[in-house]
Amino acid sequence: MQQTHLHIDGNSVAVYESGGSGPAILLIHGRSVDAQTFRHQLGGDFGANHRVVAFDLPGHGDSSPAADPEEVYCAPGYARIVGELIDRLDLARPVVAGWSLGGGIALEAADQLPDAAGFFIYGAPPLGSPPAMQEAFRPNPAMRF
């Protein structure tokens, strides 16, 4: 696994790449963790057979705190980072996978990524902004919306 830093809009973003040259897969971590969450995907057979890329969101792991917190620490700000990272790394037709907060970021970035081969979202509720809880989940009498 190789680590580099990209400078995107005044932010130093830590990027990790596997040694594989197969199809590109971009992994986006959740809140309060970092790209090390994906260390097993970056290494081993999976990383050897695919071009796996993970990165630390600004303010996480080895990335710098956001240069402009109000512009970066939000879904559109993180989505801009994802789009720029894909462009700068020349990730052709990546599969974008996001876990928890990363899933929300992947959904937010989807419109900017028309060449993505697909999206894999897990642990992320399909909420917009502001959250429309009654539309995201099935009604249940145990929940008092």
Side-chain angles (χ1 to χ4, degrees):
M1 171 175 53
Q2 174 186 353
Q3 179 187 10
T4 58
H5 277 83
L6 292 179
H7 295 280
I8 300 173
D9 295 334
N11 303 289
S12 178
V13 178
V15 179
Y16 307 86
E17 289 196 60
S18 71
S21 59
I25 300 170
L26 177 68
L27 304 173
I28 308 171
H29 66 78
R31 183 181 323 274
S32 301
V33 293
D34 59 26
Q36 292 305 310
T37 299
F38 302 117
R39 67 188 173 280
H40 297 294
Q41 289 79 14
L42 287 157
D45 291 341
F46 189 76
N49 293 312
H50 296 83
R51 183 178 179 198
V52 181
V53 176
F55 68 101
D56 293 336
L57 291 164
H60 295 75
D62 286 337
S63 288
S64 67
D68 185 348
E70 289 188 23
E71 288 293 317
V72 175
Y73 293 148
C74 60
Y78 283 141
R80 282 190 301 275
I81 299 281
V82 167
E84 183 66 24
L85 189 135
I86 287 172
D87 286 344
R88 299 265 295 277
L89 294 175
D90 196 27
L91 297 180
R93 294 191 37 76
V95 170
V96 179
W99 165 59
S100 189
L101 171 65
I105 294 167
L107 290 172
E108 183 73 25
D111 288 346
Q112 301 174 44
L113 307 174
D115 295 331
F119 294 87
F120 178 71
I121 309 299
Y122 59 108
L127 298 176
S129 181
M133 297 297 283
Q134 68 281 3
E135 295 175 25
F137 299 96
R138 298 171 110 184
N140 184 311
M143 303 297 292
R144 297 175 196 240
F145 286 73

